[in-house]
Amino acid sequence: MAEAHQAVAFQFTVTPEGIDVRLSHQALTEIYLSGVRSWKKRLIRLKNSVITGVYPASPSSWLFVVIAILATMYTRSDPSMGLIAKIQEHLPVSQSMSSQCQALLSAVLFSTMLWLLLIFTMRLCLKQLLSYHRWIFEQHGKMSNTTKVWVALVRIFSGRKPLLYSYQGSLPNLPVPAIKDTVKRYLESVRSLMDDTQYERMTNLAAEFESSLGNRLQWYLKLKALWAANYVSDWWEEYVYLRGRSPIMVNSNYYGMDFLYVTPTPIQAARAGNSIHAFFLYRRKLNREEIKPSRIPGTVIPLCAAQCERIFSTTRTPGEETDSVQHWQDSDYVAVYHRGRYFRLWVYQAGRLLSPREIEFQIQRILDDPAPPAKGEAKLGALTAGDRIPWAKARAEYFSSGVNKRSLDCIEKAAFFVTLDDDEQGMMGDDPAASLDCYAKSLLHGKCYDRWFDKSFSVVYYKNGKNGINAEHSWADAPVLSHLWEYTLATDCFQLGYNAEGHCKGEVDSSLPRPQKLNWEIAPECEEQISQSLAVAQALADDVDFHVFAFRDFGKGKVKKCRVSPDAFIQMALQLAYYRDRRTFCLTYESSMTRLFREGRTETVRSCSNESCAFVQALEGGENENKSMRLFRSASEKHQLLYRMAMTGGGIDRHLFCLYVVSKYLGVESPFLKEVLSEPWRLSTSQTAVQQMELFDMVNHPEYVSCGGGFGPVADDGYGVAYSVLGEDVINFHISCKHSCPDTDAHKFGAQIRKALHDLLQLLSPYQKEPTRTEKTRPEVKKDL
């Protein structure tokens, strides 16, 4: 227990001669350096708060305004039109102060007020400018004169070198759509999914709602929109995520994969050393707000960065009625799981971040540690994988005091969670395609007890050097974590690198204290609850069917030559594939972001439209190519319109959801809202875009590309489809469904998607020669960088 003794700053012993006090200079040094580092972080946060608070101006502009006012006063003119004199009259100053000093102080006060007024005006102007969204509806490549002027004004009012959170105070609030518009769009979205009798009934319910209860609920919603920064996000987090009582594993959490064709090193500890170091480098940039604000690609339009605040040191805590998200100040350690044991791994020593080689050394110590897990410890993580109520009760009863509370606090307050997995994953073996499916399932649920599903994110390092990430969904959406994951992968390979033997670069301080093994006292009754939670989680995990594949026959390059949006092209292919698979259409969910607005999260794009159904029916009905092509163009344009409306606050589902929440608060029933909110999403889709293309060289190093990520099926009888468009020639798909449903099959649906993609390209470019190469699995490559 050397590390425990080192943590004590002094020891004393009572002897007959008196009290013998012994100071630990190493511990005192650690305390001093930790305090210095903490104060540095506070000063940086204070500085950034000032810079962000006065944005789009700068703190130095205050001095410029003061000098300008004083200069005009020196020329015997009064720029304040008498206000400086008025301020001087009412100054509560000593009579000993000369009139010149009083005039100077009054001028400084006036200058400061003028400066603050200018900041407020500039911020208000920027907020109004960012509320303009007509640019997004203009035809690609054609910009109106109004939009050109608008872009110039946005650049002027945006200031120079904004920090990560600089735009937060200037982002507009999410608008509340009109009831009649939402109802009209909803009815249009379900027309092709209902027969005439069903549609007439729904129309009558909608008309009754719009003319009576709807206006009352809308009034309360508008009141909330005036008061809150975002009228959707807090209710969305609470009621969609935190109040769910079923397991979050598979049902809510999602995952991200490593490079598909490259493993930078086959050494597990080395891979962990580099990437853990890269995670903390990202956190340092995050704390200093040095990360550039995210923008819509190719534009100057900023996106909300509020979700970035809870990336690290965040945990979802279970409750009997509702869970809660807890965020702590930065932790200097990570929690590590290996072979049933939990460890605390400090990543800072003497106030500095450990080097990758030192973290590798510490990880290897954990891998080599022969200590067995404590009684009940090995499968403790299953509590986070099962139903939420049993976990909440077990937490309150068995983890609210003593050694169990201290160890649980260590996990929950860690920067993030790390699993050292004994399995090997990735594209490998005689059946690489099947190995990708296993890889996806491992990241999504693992063994159901070797991940801590409540942490904001958990990183998994496999025995062969592969890694991956599993994320809890309530605190943020996938693009936020994807930004972190891209940075980590790129920093790991292209900046930190490995030596010729595959180890991290640098030297090791062998005097580093060993990682601390956490202690537990698990009662037999708690072990029983762990077993029950594991049984629930295992049944859920075994039911998940997954299929992951990289579509390499063509990509967005060829699609764009056909003058079609790649996203619309893929969504139409999914509609065609689903119809061929089930011979019917279904309510389709595509995730769109609303981060153009303050604290915005997501909105639903209802991809199954009247136009898409008409196109699919024409193509499958044998209509001529010209008509099918015309209907496809109409369907893809409608999809683009729906996507743009969702991004700019004109979506359907979040508005209806909030109206439903208000109705529950008021204790009134709405047959219309109840039916709308109960409709299942049998096809749930999401695109994961690469946000930091500058970090990757897709031309010279196309093998360094992540396979994206995925999620579990939303409906028991439906599919979950995540896709990522990489470079010009690759589209990755992650398809999930459930074995228990006889009507779904992930591999069969994947084959339908491949065929639909080829058929659509053939329809749009019948005279273009299709690539002759078939989809071949590229061999796994291990490289030393």
Side-chain angles (χ1 to χ4, degrees):
M1 297 294 291
E3 67 278 2
H5 290 295
Q6 290 171 0
V8 180
F10 69 92
Q11 299 174 348
F12 68 91
T13 306
V14 179
T15 67
E17 290 77 21
I19 299 177
D20 179 23
V21 179
R22 286 174 292 171
L23 296 176
S24 171
H25 293 287
Q26 181 181 356
L28 289 174
T29 302
E30 287 287 337
I31 293 172
Y32 168 74
L33 292 174
S34 178
V36 170
R37 179 172 168 270
S38 177
W39 277 103
K40 281 183 179 179
K41 286 164 59 177
R42 290 180 186 179
L43 290 174
I44 290 171
R45 286 187 177 127
L46 177 62
K47 181 194 76 172
N48 289 340
S49 296
V50 172
I51 295 173
T52 300
V54 303
Y55 192 83
S58 65
S60 60
S61 63
W62 172 83
L63 186 61
F64 175 81
V65 173
V66 170
I67 292 174
I69 295 296
L70 292 176
T72 54
M73 290 178 65
Y74 182 76
T75 60
R76 305 286 183 179
S77 59
D78 185 6
S80 70
M81 294 181 290
L83 286 176
I84 293 178
K86 287 285 185 183
I87 294 173
Q88 186 173 349
E89 289 177 11
H90 294 87
L91 273 180
V93 296
S94 170
Q95 296 297 324
S96 61
M97 183 180 290
S98 66
S99 59
Q100 283 187 330
C101 288
Q102 291 181 24
L104 179 64
L105 181 58
S106 301
V108 170
L109 289 175
F110 172 76
S111 302
T112 302
M113 290 188 291
L114 178 62
W115 179 65
L116 293 174
L117 180 63
L118 290 172
I119 290 172
F120 176 78
T121 303
M122 291 178 66
R123 185 171 289 185
L124 189 63
C125 290
L126 183 58
K127 190 170 187 174
Q128 291 301 314
L129 288 169
L130 295 178
S131 300
Y132 172 83
H133 295 132
R134 283 175 54 188
W135 63 272
I136 204 170
F137 295 95
E138 293 179 353
Q139 188 176 347
H140 183 69
K142 295 184 179 179
M143 186 184 297
S144 65
N145 290 330
T146 302
T147 300
K148 289 178 181 178
V149 172
W150 170 76
V151 169
L153 290 173
V154 169
R155 291 184 187 276
I156 292 171
F157 282 95
S158 289
R160 297 175 59 191
K161 296 181 180 179
L163 299 176
L164 176 62
Y165 301 117
S166 292
Y167 288 106
Q168 291 301 104
S170 302
L171 291 173
N173 291 359
L174 182 68
V176 181
I179 282 278
K180 64 177 183 179
D181 293 339
T182 297
V183 169
K184 179 182 177 182
R185 292 167 189 159
Y186 167 77
L187 291 174
E188 181 185 354
S189 73
V190 298
R191 181 64 189 94
S192 56
L193 305 175
M194 297 180 177
D195 58 32
D196 292 342
T197 303
Q198 292 172 323
Y199 184 71
E200 183 179 359
R201 174 179 169 276
M202 184 56 74
T203 301
N204 292 334
L205 288 176
E208 180 185 354
F209 170 77
E210 183 181 344
S211 61
S212 56
L213 181 61
N215 290 324
R216 181 186 174 194
L217 301 180
Q218 180 81 344
W219 185 87
Y220 282 99
L221 209 55
K222 287 185 175 180
L223 188 63
K224 184 191 178 186
L226 289 174
W227 176 256
N230 191 296
Y231 78 92
V232 175
S233 294
D234 57 338
W235 284 350
W236 186 253
E237 179 177 308
E238 180 178 356
Y239 293 106
V240 172
Y241 294 114
L242 298 180
R243 291 221 176 192
R245 302 293 82 198
S246 59
I248 61 175
M249 182 198 77
V250 173
N251 294 324
S252 178
N253 284 30
Y254 57 96
Y255 67 87
M257 283 186 171
D258 193 6
F259 297 123
L260 184 58
Y261 301 112
V262 173
T263 302
T265 177
I267 302 174
Q268 183 180 20
R271 192 75 195 279
N274 259 11
S275 64
I276 290 174
H277 185 85
F279 277 119
F280 279 90
L281 290 179
Y282 186 93
R283 192 181 76 170
R284 180 186 294 169
K285 291 169 68 73
L286 184 68
N287 289 339
R288 295 175 178 177
E289 298 185 34
E290 294 173 353
I291 298 171
K292 293 179 181 179
S294 295
R295 302 176 188 271
I296 292 182
T299 74
V300 296
I301 312 306
L303 301 178
C304 179
Q307 296 177 51
C308 298
E309 296 172 357
R310 298 188 291 181
I311 293 179
F312 294 95
S313 303
T314 298
T315 294
R316 174 172 175 161
T317 304
E320 292 194 33
E321 291 186 5
T322 181
D323 293 354
S324 59
V325 176
Q326 290 186 281
H327 174 69
W328 291 272
Q329 291 299 320
D330 293 342
S331 300
D332 293 342
Y333 67 90
V334 294
V336 182
Y337 176 92
H338 177 244
R339 292 184 182 174
R341 295 99 32 93
Y342 291 87
F343 295 84
R344 184 207 303 256
L345 171 59
W346 295 98
V347 293
Y348 279 86
Q349 173 77 4
R352 67 172 180 86
L353 177 63
L354 297 184
S355 70
R357 185 70 183 91
E358 289 173 324
I359 297 175
E360 177 190 352
F361 176 73
Q362 295 290 72
I363 291 289
Q364 193 61 52
R365 279 178 159 179
I366 294 175
L367 292 171
D368 296 338
D369 191 321
K375 187 175 182 293
E377 178 184 11
K379 299 180 180 179
L380 179 62
L383 290 171
T384 69
D387 290 321
R388 303 304 291 174
I389 294 177
W391 171 210
K393 291 180 177 179
R395 189 178 190 277
E397 186 169 354
Y398 305 113
F399 298 90
S400 58
S401 62
V403 64
N404 287 349
K405 184 181 188 303
R406 289 193 295 272
S407 294
L408 181 62
D409 283 347
C410 177
I411 293 175
E412 293 185 335
K413 295 179 180 180
F416 52 92
F417 191 79
V418 171
T419 294
L420 301 175
D421 203 308
D422 282 339
D423 294 338
E424 296 186 357
Q425 296 292 349
M427 183 181 285
M428 59 187 185
D430 298 331
D431 192 351
S435 68
L436 274 183
D437 302 342
C438 293
Y439 183 21
K441 283 178 66 67
S442 176
L443 289 174
L444 186 65
H445 54 69
K447 298 180 179 70
C448 303
Y449 58 79
D450 54 350
R451 317 279 187 260
W452 200 267
F453 294 100
D454 286 352
K455 285 298 290 181
S456 54
F457 67 94
S458 301
V459 192
V460 185
Y461 298 99
Y462 294 101
K463 192 175 182 179
N464 60 340
K466 278 292 181 188
N467 67 5
I469 196 166
N470 179 287
E472 200 278 317
H473 209 327
S474 64
W475 63 275
D477 300 307
V480 175
L481 195 74
S482 175
H483 193 277
L484 164 66
W485 190 234
E486 289 171 13
Y487 175 89
T488 303
L489 289 176
T491 303
D492 172 15
C493 290
F494 305 134
Q495 294 185 28
L496 300 177
Y498 301 88
N499 62 24
E501 291 78 29
H503 292 284
C504 298
K505 297 176 182 178
E507 301 299 326
V508 176
D509 179 3
S510 58
S511 67
L512 290 172
R514 297 183 66 86
Q516 176 190 355
K517 185 180 182 299
L518 302 186
N519 297 314
W520 307 90
E521 294 176 358
I522 307 299
E525 297 81 5
C526 184
E527 286 189 77
E528 178 63 26
Q529 184 54 64
I530 292 172
S531 298
Q532 292 176 12
S533 294
L534 180 58
V536 170
Q538 194 65 60
L540 178 60
D542 292 343
D543 195 24
V544 175
D545 181 22
F546 239 102
H547 181 43
V548 179
F549 66 94
F551 183 82
R552 305 186 62 85
D553 293 1
F554 61 87
K556 73 173 183 181
K558 247 182 188 180
V559 173
K560 290 170 74 173
K561 288 180 180 178
C562 298
R563 303 179 67 81
V564 178
S565 157
D567 184 69
F569 182 89
I570 295 171
Q571 285 292 328
M572 293 306 108
L574 292 175
Q575 291 299 314
L576 179 58
Y578 187 88
Y579 184 81
R580 288 171 172 175
D581 183 59
R582 302 286 288 272
R583 306 311 301 176
T584 187
F585 298 104
C586 73
L587 199 59
T588 304
Y589 182 112
E590 182 186 5
S591 179
S592 166
M593 63 91 180
T594 55
R595 290 171 64 198
L596 289 171
F597 304 97
R598 190 172 184 179
E599 296 183 15
R601 290 198 61 164
T602 61
E603 178 58 276
T604 304
V605 180
R606 294 183 168 227
S607 301
C608 183
S609 62
N610 296 327
E611 290 79 1
S612 69
C613 292
F615 158 68
V616 170
Q617 288 173 331
L619 188 65
E620 291 298 280
E623 294 286 353
N624 63 71
E625 287 189 355
N626 287 335
K627 182 176 181 180
S628 295
M629 188 183 299
R630 187 169 65 253
L631 290 172
F632 174 85
R633 296 284 182 189
S634 175
S636 62
E637 289 171 5
K638 181 58 179 286
H639 178 268
Q640 285 295 94
L641 176 63
L642 293 174
Y643 201 98
R644 289 163 178 165
M645 290 181 67
M647 286 180 62
T648 54
I652 301 168
D653 291 276
R654 300 300 178 270
H655 185 204
L656 292 175
F657 162 76
C658 289
L659 291 171
Y660 180 76
V661 173
V662 173
S663 74
K664 288 300 180 183
Y665 276 125
L666 296 179
V668 295
E669 288 290 331
S670 168
F672 170 71
L673 290 177
K674 186 176 181 180
E675 191 151 333
V676 169
L677 271 294
S678 64
E679 293 169 343
W681 300 96
R682 291 193 173 89
L683 184 56
S684 182
T685 70
S686 179
Q687 179 183 179
T688 305
V690 179
Q691 303 170 68
Q692 303 170 87
M693 288 300 298
E694 69 276 7
L695 297 180
F696 304 94
D697 188 349
M698 299 291 293
V699 177
N700 297 318
H701 299 287
E703 68 274 17
Y704 285 94
V705 57
S706 169
C707 197
F711 53 89
V714 174
D716 290 339
D717 58 347
Y719 292 104
V721 181
Y723 56 93
S724 52
V725 180
L726 303 171
E728 299 294 307
D729 303 307
V730 182
I731 307 173
N732 290 329
F733 288 92
H734 299 247
I735 306 166
S736 64
C737 63
K738 292 192 174 181
H739 290 296
S740 56
C741 177
D743 298 324
T744 57
D745 184 308
H747 291 77
K748 180 183 174 184
F749 192 53
Q752 292 285 14
I753 291 174
R754 288 187 185 92
K755 186 177 186 305
L757 290 169
H758 281 288
D759 290 347
L760 291 188
L761 185 67
Q762 183 64 31
L763 173 69
L764 296 177
S765 53
Y767 305 111
Q768 291 186 15
K769 185 178 180 181
E770 288 217 41
T772 55
R773 63 184 172 124
T774 57
E775 183 185 1
K776 296 181 179 179
T777 303
R778 295 173 59 174
E780 174 76 357
V781 180
K782 297 183 187 288
K783 294 192 176 182
D784 297 328
L785 298 181

